[in-house]
Coordinates of all heavy atoms in Angstrom, one line a residue:
S1 N -7.3 120.3 -25.8 CA -7.7 120.8 -24.4 C -7.2 122.2 -24.2 O -6.2 122.7 -24.8 CB -7.0 119.9 -23.3 OG -7.3 118.6 -23.5
G2 N -8.0 123.0 -23.4 CA -7.6 124.3 -23.1 C -7.8 125.4 -24.1 O -7.3 126.5 -24.1
L3 N -8.7 125.1 -25.1 CA -9.0 126.1 -26.1 C -10.1 127.0 -25.6 O -10.8 126.7 -24.7 CB -9.5 125.4 -27.4 CG -8.5 124.7 -28.4 CD1 -7.8 123.6 -27.7 CD2 -9.2 124.3 -29.7
S4 N -10.1 128.2 -26.2 CA -11.2 129.1 -25.9 C -12.5 128.6 -26.5 O -12.5 127.7 -27.4 CB -10.9 130.5 -26.4 OG -11.0 130.5 -27.9
D5 N -13.6 129.2 -26.0 CA -14.9 128.8 -26.6 C -15.0 129.0 -28.1 O -15.5 128.2 -28.8 CB -16.1 129.5 -25.9 CG -16.4 128.9 -24.5 OD1 -15.6 128.0 -24.0 OD2 -17.4 129.3 -23.9
A6 N -14.5 130.1 -28.5 CA -14.5 130.5 -29.9 C -13.6 129.4 -30.7 O -14.0 129.0 -31.8 CB -13.9 131.9 -30.2
E7 N -12.5 129.0 -30.1 CA -11.6 128.0 -30.8 C -12.3 126.7 -30.8 O -12.2 125.9 -31.8 CB -10.3 128.0 -30.1 CG -9.4 129.3 -30.3 CD -8.2 129.3 -29.4 OE1 -8.3 128.7 -28.3 OE2 -7.2 129.9 -29.8
V8 N -12.9 126.3 -29.7 CA -13.7 125.0 -29.7 C -14.7 125.0 -30.8 O -14.9 124.0 -31.5 CB -14.3 124.8 -28.3 CG1 -15.3 123.6 -28.3 CG2 -13.2 124.6 -27.2
T9 N -15.5 126.1 -30.9 CA -16.5 126.2 -31.9 C -16.0 126.1 -33.3 O -16.5 125.3 -34.1 CB -17.3 127.5 -31.7 OG1 -17.8 127.5 -30.4 CG2 -18.5 127.5 -32.7
S10 N -14.9 126.9 -33.6 CA -14.3 126.9 -34.9 C -13.8 125.5 -35.3 O -14.0 125.0 -36.4 CB -13.2 127.9 -35.0 OG -12.6 127.9 -36.2
R11 N -13.1 124.8 -34.4 CA -12.5 123.5 -34.7 C -13.6 122.5 -34.8 O -13.6 121.6 -35.6 CB -11.5 123.1 -33.6 CG -10.8 121.8 -34.0 CD -10.0 122.0 -35.3 NE -9.4 120.7 -35.6 CZ -8.1 120.4 -35.4 NH1 -7.3 121.3 -34.7 NH2 -7.6 119.2 -35.7
G12 N -14.7 122.7 -34.0 CA -15.8 121.7 -34.1 C -16.5 121.8 -35.4 O -16.8 120.8 -36.0
V13 N -16.7 123.0 -35.9 CA -17.3 123.2 -37.2 C -16.4 122.5 -38.3 O -16.9 121.9 -39.2 CB -17.5 124.7 -37.5 CG1 -17.9 124.9 -39.0 CG2 -18.6 125.2 -36.6
Q14 N -15.1 122.7 -38.2 CA -14.2 122.2 -39.1 C -14.3 120.6 -39.2 O -14.3 120.0 -40.2 CB -12.8 122.6 -38.8 CG -11.7 122.0 -39.6 CD -10.3 122.4 -39.2 OE1 -10.1 123.4 -38.6 NE2 -9.3 121.5 -39.4
E15 N -14.3 120.0 -38.0 CA -14.3 118.6 -37.9 C -15.6 118.0 -38.4 O -15.7 117.0 -39.2 CB -14.1 118.1 -36.5 CG -12.7 118.5 -35.9 CD -11.5 117.9 -36.7 OE1 -11.7 116.8 -37.3 OE2 -10.5 118.5 -36.8
I16 N -16.7 118.6 -38.1 CA -18.1 118.2 -38.5 C -18.1 118.3 -40.0 O -18.6 117.4 -40.7 CB -19.2 119.0 -37.9 CG1 -19.2 118.8 -36.4 CG2 -20.5 118.7 -38.5 CD1 -20.0 119.8 -35.6
S17 N -17.6 119.4 -40.6 CA -17.7 119.6 -42.0 C -16.8 118.7 -42.8 O -17.1 118.4 -44.0 CB -17.3 121.0 -42.3 OG -18.1 122.0 -41.7
S18 N -15.8 118.1 -42.2 CA -14.9 117.2 -42.9 C -15.6 115.9 -43.3 O -15.1 115.2 -44.2 CB -13.7 116.9 -42.0 OG -14.1 116.0 -40.9
G19 N -16.6 115.5 -42.6 CA -17.3 114.3 -42.9 C -16.8 113.0 -42.3 O -17.4 111.9 -42.5
H20 N -15.8 113.1 -41.4 CA -15.2 111.9 -40.8 C -15.7 111.7 -39.4 O -15.4 110.6 -38.8 CB -13.7 111.9 -40.8 CG -13.1 113.1 -40.1 ND1 -12.1 113.8 -40.7 CD2 -13.3 113.7 -39.0 CE1 -11.7 114.8 -39.9 NE2 -12.5 114.7 -38.8
V21 N -16.4 112.6 -38.8 CA -16.8 112.5 -37.4 C -17.9 111.4 -37.2 O -18.9 111.3 -37.9 CB -17.4 113.8 -36.9 CG1 -18.1 113.7 -35.5 CG2 -16.3 114.9 -36.8
D22 N -17.7 110.6 -36.2 CA -18.8 109.7 -35.7 C -19.3 110.1 -34.3 O -20.5 110.1 -34.1 CB -18.3 108.2 -35.6 CG -18.0 107.7 -37.0 OD1 -18.9 107.6 -37.8 OD2 -16.8 107.3 -37.3
F23 N -18.4 110.5 -33.4 CA -18.8 111.0 -32.1 C -17.8 112.2 -31.8 O -16.6 112.0 -31.8 CB -18.8 110.0 -31.0 CG -19.0 110.6 -29.7 CD1 -20.2 111.0 -29.3 CD2 -17.9 110.7 -28.8 CE1 -20.4 111.6 -28.0 CE2 -18.1 111.3 -27.5 CZ -19.4 111.7 -27.1
L24 N -18.4 113.3 -31.5 CA -17.6 114.5 -31.1 C -18.2 115.1 -29.9 O -19.4 115.5 -29.8 CB -17.5 115.5 -32.3 CG -16.7 116.8 -32.0 CD1 -15.3 116.5 -31.7 CD2 -16.9 117.7 -33.2

């Protein structure tokens, strides 16, 4: 919580790329 839009995007890309996401 409380991340900047850039940080939300960067972490989102990281989680998606990891292969473990079902719902984000």
Side-chain angles (χ1 to χ4, degrees):
S1 308
L3 281 66
S4 68
D5 282 10
E7 291 169 332
V8 170
T9 303
S10 176
R11 186 60 184 265
V13 169
Q14 176 185 331
E15 297 300 329
I16 294 165
S17 301
S18 69
H20 57 227
V21 168
D22 291 298
F23 172 73
L24 178 61

